[in-house]
Amino acid sequence: MPLLGSPSREPIAIRRERRSDVAAREALLDAAFGPGRFAKTSERLREGRKPARGLALVARRGGRLVGTLRLWPVVTGTGHACLLLGPLAVAADARCLGIGAALMRQALRRAQRLGHRAVILVGDAAYYDRFGFSAAQTGAFRMPGPYQRDRLLACELVPDALRGAGGLIVAASRPRSRLSGLVDRIAGGQAPLGQPA
């Protein structure tokens, strides 16, 4: 759990998000982005889903949640698996303390350690450039709704991870268990109850 700050400031701890953080995270996102956050195209790739395992982070200061960042599994039309970063938010009274940058660096390190190959986002190139993001490899990508093309950025965690990537970016399917497959078949009338799938 990395700590930021100096002796004159309260330390800031970055850790994995817990269930107990959800209400504070949502309040922080509402304050940072307002109700329009649910209308964003990136939200279409997140709604009704969970973030990638181990890649939902929060920053806490003085017992209060002051930052959040999550990454989501997506796939391009050419089958390249990536992560979608966002949203990144920091409480207004905690900005300029390096919390956003610390969350970014921690998230990218963790994603790389977990074997992810690339991260994409929709955001300000001037801010995200320092973390290795650019629009150089996203020209052939499309989002599932309106977006500003110059704000669609990517960062390869593995060299050439996005070589030949393009097409529509969609939410990645979660691996299905045998039980969920059986339930779907029964619900669809394909397998009678009491018989093996």
Side-chain angles (χ1 to χ4, degrees), residues 9-195:
R9 294 188 206 146
E10 274 186 282
I12 299 160
I14 296 177
R15 63 162 169 75
R16 284 177 62 171
E17 181 181 286
R18 300 176 185 154
R19 283 187 186 172
S20 59
D21 295 321
V22 172
R25 179 200 69 217
E26 290 302 305
L28 174 60
L29 291 172
D30 286 343
F33 300 108
R37 72 183 176 104
F38 295 109
K40 293 184 177 194
T41 296
S42 294
E43 186 63 25
R44 303 293 70 80
L45 299 170
R46 296 188 288 256
E47 63 190 355
R49 303 180 59 234
K50 291 183 180 180
R53 186 173 302 238
L55 294 173
L57 304 177
V58 296
R60 296 191 66 87
R61 182 180 191 216
R64 184 176 143 243
L65 191 138
V66 293
T68 178
L69 184 151
R70 297 186 287 166
L71 294 113
W72 310 80
V74 294
V75 66
T76 69
T78 51
H80 290 74
C82 307
L83 293 169
L84 173 70
L85 188 145
L88 166 63
V90 176
D93 64 344
R95 292 186 186 141
C96 299
L97 298 177
I99 295 170
L103 282 165
M104 284 294 300
R105 289 187 183 98
Q106 184 70 230
L108 294 175
R109 273 195 304 269
R110 286 181 185 217
Q112 189 172 38
R113 237 184 1 248
L114 290 169
H116 296 283
R117 301 174 50 80
V119 179
I120 59 172
L121 61 82
V122 177
D124 182 17
Y127 179 81
Y128 290 105
D129 172 70
R130 65 181 133 165
F131 307 109
F133 286 86
S134 78
Q137 295 164 310
T138 62
F141 292 163
R142 291 189 332 271
M143 292 287 283
Y147 68 100
Q148 294 174 325
R149 180 161 292 287
D150 63 329
R151 292 175 56 85
L152 182 58
L153 311 174
C155 172
E156 291 180 324
L157 302 176
V158 173
D160 296 325
L162 295 175
R163 183 186 299 265
L168 183 65
I169 298 165
V170 298
S173 302
R174 289 213 176 256
R176 295 166 48 87
S177 70
R178 289 185 64 205
L179 178 60
S180 67
L182 177 60
V183 168
D184 287 349
R185 288 180 62 201
I186 291 169
Q190 297 174 5
L193 288 173
Q195 292 193 5

